[in-house]
Amino acid sequence: MHRTDEPHDVVHLGLPPEAGLEQSLEWAVAHAALAPSEHNSQPWSFRATLRDGAATVDLLLDESRRLEVVDPDQREAVLACGAALLNLRLALAGAGLGVVVVSCPDPERPELLARLSVGGETVERDVDGPLRLAVPLRGTHRGPFESTDVPSELVAHLVAEAALEGAFVAPAEGAAHAEVVRLTVAAEESLWSDAAYRREAAAWSRANSTGQHDGVPGYASGLGAVRSWLQPTLAVATGRPAWSLEEMLEAGYHAPVLLVIGSPDDSRPAVLRAGQAMQRLLLRARAERLAASYLNGSLHMPELRKDLGALVQVPAPQVVVRLGYGELVRPTPRRGVAELLVVEREHSDRRPG
Ligand SMILES: Cc1cc2nc3c(=O)[nH]c(=O)nc-3n(C[C@H](O)[C@H](O)[C@H](O)COP(=O)(O)O)c2cc1C
C-alpha cells in the first residue's frame, strides 16, 4: 500500500504556503528521519506539545532500537540523534519557524536528549537553505570515489562548518591517514571474527527488495538482488562482510579526505553536539558534490579508539568520515512520520474577557 508519510516523499512534496504548525512539524520530522544511523537503526522519536500557536518538541532516544553488540552504551545512537536534530532545526528554520534548542541532561530521563521551543521569535533563519536541500540527497557512498582531489580550501571550509556546532574536527593526512586506515582494518578483522557482531549486522541487513522500513539493503554496499538476499546468511556463516577487507583498504587509501569528528568526552550533550557537527559537515559536503562514508571500525574497540584519539589529538573521537567526489546514491528505507511523531494539544485555560 502507498505510504503517505514516507519521509523522502514528504520532504520532496514541500510545504504549501497555507501549512499550519502541525503540518510544518511533520515536514520537519520527515527531514529528521532522513539522518544517517548505524545499521540504519533510526534510534529516534519525537513528541510535540502544541499550545497557543507554538510548540515544544522533544527529541527522544528510542531505547528499543539499541544495538546491544556494536553500540551497547548508545554512543552512536546519540550521534545519530544529533544528526536528526540538525535536520530538524534546518527544516524548522526553512518553514520560517523560530527555534530555540535546549540540551536536556536529566538523570531521571536519560532518553530525553533535547527540547525545542518552536514558533516563538525566529532565532535561526533559513540561512542554511543549501544544507536543508541537501538532506534528501545525502546518502552513504561505500564505493570508490572519483580520483579528483578535493581542494584544500573546501576541506578547511568543511572543518570550520562542523566546528560551528562545537565539536572537534581533525583531518588525518599523510602518515596519519594511512594509520587510520590500518587501525580500521585491524578493528574490522577483529569485529567480523566475533559471531555476536556478525549476527547483529546480519539482523539489520536487508534484501534489495525489502519492504521493511529500517536496516541496510544490499544495494547500499553495491550488491545485486541475489547476493543481497544471501548476504545475511553468508555473513553469519563465513565471518566476512559483504566487501573484502582488501577492498576496504583500497577504498580507504583512495579516500581523498579523512576527517575525525570528536568531542571533549562521551557525555550525552557532547555526543549530541558531535552528531550535529557530523551532519552539518555531511550536508555541506553533499551540497558541494562530495560523497561520504565511514571508517568507524576502530571506534568500536576501546584500545584502538584510544590510539585513534592520540593519533589525531581528539579527546573522544566519535566518527571517522571518508570524503571524495562521487555521484548520488540510492536512498535507503525510513520509518514513516506517523510512527516517529506523537502530537498532543494543550488548551490554554485563559478565558476571554
Ligand atoms: C554513527 C554512525 C556510524 C556508522 N557506521 C557505519 C559503519 O561503520 N559502516 C558503514 O558502512 N556505515 C556506517 N554508517 C552509515 C549507516 O549504515 C547509514 O547511515 C544507514 O544505513 C542509512 O543509510 P544512508 O546514510 O545512506 O541514509 C554509520 C552511520 C552513523 C550515523
Side-chain angles (χ1 to χ4, degrees):
M1 207 172 67
H2 181 67
R3 300 160 69 204
T4 54
D5 68 340
E6 201 289 317
H8 296 92
D9 291 347
V10 174
V11 168
H12 283 304
L13 273 176
L15 261 191
E18 70 280 6
L21 182 57
E22 189 166 342
Q23 193 178 359
S24 300
L25 292 179
E26 288 167 358
W27 186 69
V29 166
H31 283 76
L34 300 186
S37 57
E38 176 73 91
H39 290 334
N40 198 17
S41 54
Q42 305 168 44
W44 44 66
S45 70
F46 302 86
R47 176 175 291 269
T49 310
L50 309 188
R51 192 171 194 267
D52 293 338
T56 300
V57 180
D58 288 348
L59 164 61
L60 302 160
L61 179 64
D62 184 341
E63 304 275 351
S64 69
R65 307 184 78 80
R66 182 194 291 257
L67 302 170
E68 294 287 353
V69 180
V70 76
D71 189 28
D73 303 328
Q74 295 179 294
R75 182 185 63 77
E76 289 196 314
V78 175
L79 266 179
C81 285
L85 176 58
L86 187 89
N87 285 6
L88 189 77
R89 285 169 46 199
L90 293 171
L92 290 169
L97 291 164
V99 187
V100 180
V101 183
V102 189
S103 185
C104 304
D106 176 354
E108 300 286 305
R109 292 196 63 195
E111 79 286 4
L112 175 58
L113 296 179
R115 173 161 288 172
L116 287 74
S117 173
V118 179
E121 200 181 321
T122 304
V123 290
E124 285 197 81
R125 294 187 191 280
D126 194 20
V127 286
D128 287 323
L131 295 191
R132 175 171 53 79
L133 295 174
V135 167
L137 305 179
R138 185 214 56 80
T140 303
H141 185 298
R142 294 180 180 80
F145 294 135
E146 294 165 20
S147 53
T148 323
D149 282 340
V150 180
S152 54
E153 314 82 71
L154 179 51
V155 178
H157 182 57
L158 292 172
V159 169
E161 178 98 42
L164 284 178
E165 298 293 335
F168 292 92
V169 191
E173 289 162 335
H177 184 294
E179 184 58 12
V180 171
V181 177
R182 195 194 65 73
L183 288 173
T184 312
V185 173
E188 294 283 343
E189 250 157 7
S190 170
L191 291 167
W192 284 97
S193 68
D194 173 359
Y197 178 87
R198 297 202 301 273
R199 272 197 302 275
E200 187 175 70
W204 289 91
S205 297
R206 305 281 181 258
N208 287 354
S209 55
T210 181
Q212 284 176 264
H213 303 152
D214 58 12
V216 187
Y219 62 74
S221 306
L223 304 185
V226 175
R227 186 78 197 284
S228 76
W229 185 71
L230 288 172
Q231 176 52 30
T233 319
L234 286 178
V236 173
T238 64
R240 307 300 290 180
W243 53 95
S244 75
L245 293 169
E246 294 71 31
E247 276 166 349
M248 213 186 117
L249 192 69
E250 249 326 65
Y253 269 114
H254 285 144
V257 178
L258 278 185
L259 296 173
V260 181
I261 301 175
S263 46
D265 53 47
D266 282 339
S267 66
R268 286 198 166 171
V271 178
L272 195 71
R273 270 195 298 280
Q276 292 173 83
M278 170 189 78
Q279 183 69 354
R280 186 173 275 280
L281 188 144
L282 293 173
L283 294 176
R284 180 62 71 193
R286 184 68 268 172
E288 299 287 345
R289 221 183 65 72
L290 288 170
S293 59
Y294 308 79
L295 293 188
N296 281 342
S298 61
L299 297 169
H300 299 129
M301 318 228 24
E303 283 307 312
L304 297 183
R305 186 177 179 214
K306 231 184 269 169
D307 292 348
L308 175 71
L311 181 71
V312 295
Q313 298 186 341
V314 169
Q318 300 297 344
V319 66
V320 181
V321 176
R322 156 185 177 256
L323 290 167
Y325 286 99
E327 293 310 316
L328 297 177
V329 294
R330 188 170 153 194
T332 52
R334 288 298 189 277
R335 296 191 289 149
V337 174
E339 189 183 331
L340 300 177
L341 174 65
V342 172
V343 180
E344 287 172 352
R345 274 167 209 80
E346 265 182 13
H347 296 288
S348 156
D349 30 279
R350 271 183 290 133
R351 308 235 162 93

